[in-house]
Every structure is written in C-alpha cells, then in structure tokens.
Amino acid sequence: MQIKQNYSLEPHNTFHLPVKTRWFMEYDSEDDLKKILRDEYFQECLSTHIGAGSNLLFLNDYNGIVLHSRIRGMEVVAEDEASVVLRVGAGEVWDEVVAYAVERGWHGIENLSLIPGEAGAAAVQNIGAYGVELKDVLVSVEAYNQLTFEKKIFPVEDCGYGYRESRFKDPHQDPQIITQVNLRLSKRPAFTLDYGQLGERVGAEPTLRAVRDAVIAIRREKLPDPAVLGNAGSFFKNPMVDAGDALRLRERYPEMPVYPAADGKVKIPAAWLIEQCGFKGKRHGDVGVYDKQALVLVNYGGATGDEIALVAESIRTAVNEHFGIELMPEVKYIV
Ligand SMILES: Cc1cc2nc3c(=O)[nH]c(=O)nc-3n(C[C@H](O)[C@H](O)[C@H](O)COP(=O)(O)OP(=O)(O)OC[C@H]3O[C@@H](n4cnc5c(N)ncnc54)[C@H](O)[C@@H]3O)c2cc1C
C-alpha cells in the first residue's frame, strides 16, 4: 500500500489538471483495501475512488482521500466449449484486457479497444463503443461495500445497467469499491460490425485482430490522444428524447440524425447539437471544443477545471435555448 500526502493528481486525470489531493492511497490487495475501509480516519474523511481519471473533471484541489486500486490479474475461472469466464482485477488497464482477449482468440470486447481507463471503472461506466457495451459480456462484479465492509458479487442483472449508467453510479445505493470484474468471452466467432464505418473498414472476412486494428485506427482518426491533448472523451451523454419530441424536432431540422433507443426513446447525437450551435473547433482561452468531434472538450494546456466547466455550461445553455434539449455531462465533476 502507498500513502502520499499533498499529492499531485496531474498524472491521474486525462485533462491533466494540476490539482492536488490531501491524501492519495493506493492499495495492492483486498486485505489492504479492507484495512483502509475500517480505518476511523478514513471513515471521517471525504473520499473518492479513481481509476485512470479519464472521465473526471476536478474543479479544485481535493480536500480528502483519493483511493486507487492496483489489484491486477487476469485469470480464467470457468471454461466450456463455447466460452471462458475471465476474472480481471479492477486495476488492470482496460485496453490491455482487450489485447489479452484478442491474442487468445476470445470474442466480445474487441469493439471496446483503446477506451482509456481501468477495468473496475469500465464496470462503473458500462463503457460502450461501436454497438457493444460492457454489460453484453459481463457476468458479475465483485465489490466491497464502503459502509458495511462486506464483499458481494453482483450478477450483471443486479448492476442496473443502462447507457453509461449503473448502480455503482447511483447516489441512492451504498458506495461500492469494485475489486474484480468477470467477463464471459466467446471462443466462437461473433462479430458486431454494423456500426458506423467499422464493417466497411474490416471487410468481408473479419478476424479479431482486424476488428481491433480497425477500431483503433478509427478512434485515432477521430479522437484526441489524451497523452498529447488533455481531454476526457465525450463530455456529454447523447440525449434520449421521446419519439413525439424527436418527430417535432425533425420537422424543424430535417437533417438532424436520430437513432432508435431503448423504451421507445430516440437518441440524438450530442455532437450534432453542439456543432449546430457553432461550438465545433472553437477555443475559449485554454479550453477548446475538438475540431474533429464536437463532443470532446480539450485542455490546450493551462486550463482549470472551472474554466472547462464554464465552457461546458455555455454549451449546455446554447443547446437548451436552441433545441429545448438538456445535455447531461458524462464526465463526473469532483469538487
Ligand atoms: C479519448 C477518450 C475516449 C473515450 N472513449 C470512450 C468510449 O468510446 N466509450 C466510453 O464508454 N467511454 C469513453 N471514454 C471515457 C472513459 O474512458 C471511460 O469512462 C472509462 O471507463 C473511465 O475509466 P477510468 O479508469 O479512467 O475511470 P475514472 O475516470 O477514474 O473514474 C470513473 C468512475 O469510476 C469510479 N471508479 C473507478 N474505479 C473504481 C473502482 N475500482 N471501484 C468503484 N468505483 C470506481 C470513479 O469513482 C468514477 O465514478 C473515453 C475517454 C477518453 C479520454
């Protein structure tokens, strides 16, 4: 276990904000985690858990304890003719999990290649890309209740998954610290290629390697590399509106893209709405709206969390005034 005081989180958030935390605690095992959770000082302090900080916006220095998992390991815990169940430590780098599965010929997560972050957070976020969401392959999530210290295994149906939603994000549920995720991966070919240009790029005879390479190539063309330009991916969620509202909007804006979503709702790409309001490629001080993808806010260097939040707020206001649609941040604000 490593404990650091007045520690800079700059390398721990992909916006590269130079904020500090009063305490940073990094644990390597479940035993260490249990010790932290039972500690009276920990219980009295404000605390938050981070992964790679690729979906976070720190608004200030953090006056509490930031926890980070270094629980690693990937292990096949069940296997039959058709599939394996892979148990993955929450601190594993997500894209290394994808590479590991692809190398072994296991299908299911190749479309989720190159999504930044760690395996534990992937289950919090229900990460998704190119027509696949983590919930599609997830068997269960292992986690410690931060209040009762009990470990529980949550089967996927108890995780409350929706579009970038889960019980692990729900403030009405007890806070849980994820230690492992269990994924069912198929040994038999099963590709999802009907999303965007993916099928076209992969061609008529897909292989796991080809799909992973195509996803990586498309992502590199469209999204800024956080190592080069600070960002947290999609800043807002794509809004879901009622079918009737979508129809009315479509009468005024016939070119507006719409996609069917769950529960009779219609998904409208937030990037399109933001672009229509004139923000794409614009820069306000050190904060910018990425020129190839209007959903991504970038830190050109030197921006503060507050400045990024201010630009986000002006985008939300403009989209609301123009379309009557409220954008919700996908990025989590930490105060
Ligand atoms: C360039 C770029 C592209 C992106 N593309 C996509 C994409 O295509 N699809 C997509 O879904 N997302 C995307 N994202 C967003 C981000 O990568 C995901 O949300 C990712 O899962 C966040 O992982 P993280 O480890 O960085 O988590 P963090 O941002 O550090 O934390 C995210 C949440 O998880 C919680 N958390 C972290 N670890 C644990 C744990 N062990 N136990 C309990 N809670 C925990 C945190 O408290 C927080 O609520 C992108 C981000 C970037 C920068």
Side-chain angles (χ1 to χ4, degrees), residues 81-201:
E81 270 173 33
S83 65
V84 294
V85 175
L86 186 67
R87 183 173 188 249
V88 181
E92 285 288 347
V93 172
W94 172 253
D95 193 52
E96 289 175 10
V97 181
V98 180
Y100 186 88
V102 167
E103 272 164 31
R104 281 155 186 79
W106 299 333
H107 294 248
I109 51 176
E110 58 282 359
N111 290 29
L112 304 178
S113 290
L114 209 66
I115 297 182
E118 296 170 1
V124 173
Q125 307 287 94
N126 185 26
I127 55 169
Y130 300 100
V132 172
E133 287 183 324
L134 189 71
K135 72 166 173 50
D136 304 335
V137 295
L138 201 80
V139 177
S140 59
V141 174
E142 301 180 34
Y144 280 85
N145 184 313
Q146 199 172 325
L147 306 180
T148 65
F149 323 131
E150 277 165 352
K151 185 171 185 184
K152 198 172 159 186
I153 300 180
F154 294 92
V156 63
E157 54 276 15
D158 292 351
C159 293
Y161 283 127
Y163 165 58
R164 304 292 182 274
E165 281 304 336
S166 73
R167 70 171 296 144
F168 309 109
K169 285 179 134 182
D170 182 350
H172 301 106
Q173 302 279 356
D174 280 3
Q176 304 285 339
I177 294 183
I178 296 174
T179 49
Q180 287 87 12
V181 298
N182 293 291
L183 312 174
R184 184 178 301 281
L185 303 172
S186 172
K187 291 182 181 175
R188 298 187 177 139
F191 294 103
T192 304
L193 298 172
D194 51 356
Y195 198 95
Q197 337 154 0
L198 187 57
E200 209 178 289
R201 292 283 274 259

Side-chain angles (χ1 to χ4, degrees), residues 12 14 27 48-56 69 90 114-122 124-129 164 168-169 176-179 219 223-226 231-234 330 332:
H12 295 276
T14 59
Y27 56 90
T48 191
H49 200 296
I50 64 165
S54 64
N55 202 51
L56 306 178
S69 170
L114 209 66
I115 297 182
E118 296 170 1
V124 173
Q125 307 287 94
N126 185 26
I127 55 169
R164 304 292 182 274
F168 309 109
K169 285 179 134 182
Q176 304 285 339
I177 294 183
I178 296 174
T179 49
R219 292 182 69 93
L223 294 167
D225 177 356
N231 77 91
S234 303
E330 181 175 323
K332 180 175 171 184

Side-chain angles (χ1 to χ4, degrees), residues 278-304:
F279 285 97
K280 192 174 182 181
K282 290 279 159 60
R283 185 170 171 162
H284 310 260
D286 290 324
V287 185
V289 179
Y290 194 52
D291 55 359
K292 294 188 198 130
Q293 169 52 275
L295 203 44
V296 178
L297 300 191
V298 297
N299 175 8
Y300 283 108
T304 65

Side-chain angles (χ1 to χ4, degrees), residues 240-252 256 258 263-266 268:
M240 307 286 176
V241 302
D242 291 331
D245 293 339
L247 214 63
R248 277 188 288 282
L249 279 165
R250 261 284 182 78
E251 279 164 15
R252 280 183 68 193
M256 183 176 83
V258 290
D263 306 326
K265 299 260 184 189
V266 171
I268 301 177

